[in-house]
Amino acid sequence: MSLQMLSPREWAAAMLADGTACILDVETSGLEGSIIEVAVIDAASGAVLLDTLVDCGPVQIEPDAHAVHSITAADLDDAPRWPEVFAQLAAITSGRQVLAYNAQFDQGRVLHDCHRSGIDPGHLAEAGRWQCVMARRCAALGLGQRDVCGSVAVTARSPTSARPARWCSCSLRDCPTRPDSPRLRTGSAPSSDRCVLRRSTLIVWVREVSTGHTDKTTCTSGTG
């Protein structure tokens, strides 16, 4: 049966099976900019598979984007370039479903940087490879295509597109594994703890949907 035919609960249970899916999160230089940080964790265990900053070259980080993730150009000085990072990303995601808060946004940025670098995106260009956690959780909550707090409409161009933890914080008490590991470069960006929270929160949300106990009250409004 197609994943799209599954109920939110059935879908979440399938995504939590060992080796089935991973959760991807990116930070970018802007809504239509390049990826400057990418992390991938195993959806079943929370194990960190990839966590690195990305040197995006002569691309300026927009003020609105910096306000969200606090990453500066100086933070990227020793970071690997996209071709190196993508080689790891492609290997990690091979044979897995890729979950993202707003999958359209994250996939769009991956394809953008592959095109910019003259790289074949391979399986990551497949629409069926990506699964949108936001859409599935909103369906479970009966909210339609709205943010998980049920208060702000989310569009592909909204600053909230890939930033569920900007104003929402979830308890991680039900998440046995708190993904945290050294980056692939020396040092870390000021956003490190918030990024770990966001990726862990996505696991919590998928687990909530799988149990059928999804509740808007597990999220509280804030500025992240």
Side-chain angles (χ1 to χ4, degrees):
M1 179 182 294
S2 167
L3 289 174
Q4 300 306 317
M5 299 295 292
L6 299 178
S7 70
R9 187 172 182 177
E10 291 170 332
W11 171 86
M15 293 301 97
L16 291 173
D18 288 341
T20 297
C22 57
I23 291 176
L24 177 146
D25 181 56
V26 302
E27 300 289 3
T28 65
S29 62
L31 289 177
E32 297 182 354
S34 291
I35 294 171
I36 58 177
E37 183 183 41
V38 59
V40 182
I41 59 177
D42 182 86
S45 68
V48 177
L49 306 176
L50 177 66
D51 187 9
T52 183
L53 295 173
V54 183
D55 179 0
C56 60
V59 176
Q60 290 189 338
I61 298 175
E62 298 174 9
D64 286 348
H66 176 264
V68 171
H69 52 58
S70 302
I71 299 173
T72 68
D75 292 321
L76 308 180
D77 284 347
D78 299 322
R81 300 296 293 269
W82 180 247
E84 178 183 347
V85 173
F86 180 76
Q88 299 175 69
L89 179 62
I92 289 168
T93 56
S94 178
R96 293 175 182 254
Q97 290 291 308
V98 181
L99 313 185
Y101 176 69
N102 182 341
Q104 182 180 9
F105 177 87
D106 291 81
Q107 184 184 28
R109 293 306 90 207
V110 169
L111 298 183
H112 168 272
D113 283 356
C114 285
H115 177 75
R116 181 169 171 255
S117 299
I119 298 172
D120 179 359
H123 62 271
L124 289 174
E126 301 169 3
R129 177 75 59 164
W130 295 76
Q131 299 291 316
C132 185
V133 175
M134 175 181 67
R136 287 293 187 166
R137 190 166 190 271
C138 287
L141 290 170
L143 295 176
Q145 194 68 13
R146 295 176 64 83
D147 75 285
V148 294
C149 294
S151 58
V152 181
V154 177
T155 68
R157 293 184 56 82
S158 167
T160 65
S161 294
R163 315 285 181 260
R166 185 178 183 187
W167 65 81
C168 298
S169 61
C170 271
S171 168
L172 301 185
R173 287 175 298 180
D174 297 328
C175 187
T177 303
R178 184 179 189 273
D180 203 356
S181 73
R183 295 179 181 276
L184 299 183
R185 63 181 289 276
T186 302
S188 61
S191 60
S192 178
D193 288 343
R194 186 164 65 244
C195 290
V196 169
L197 170 63
R198 179 166 55 251
R199 293 153 199 155
S200 301
T201 297
L202 294 183
I203 290 183
V204 172
W205 289 349
V206 176
R207 288 176 179 167
E208 284 180 348
V209 173
S210 72
T211 62
H213 295 141
T214 308
D215 188 345
K216 285 186 289 184
T217 62
T218 58
C219 291
T220 57
S221 181
T223 58

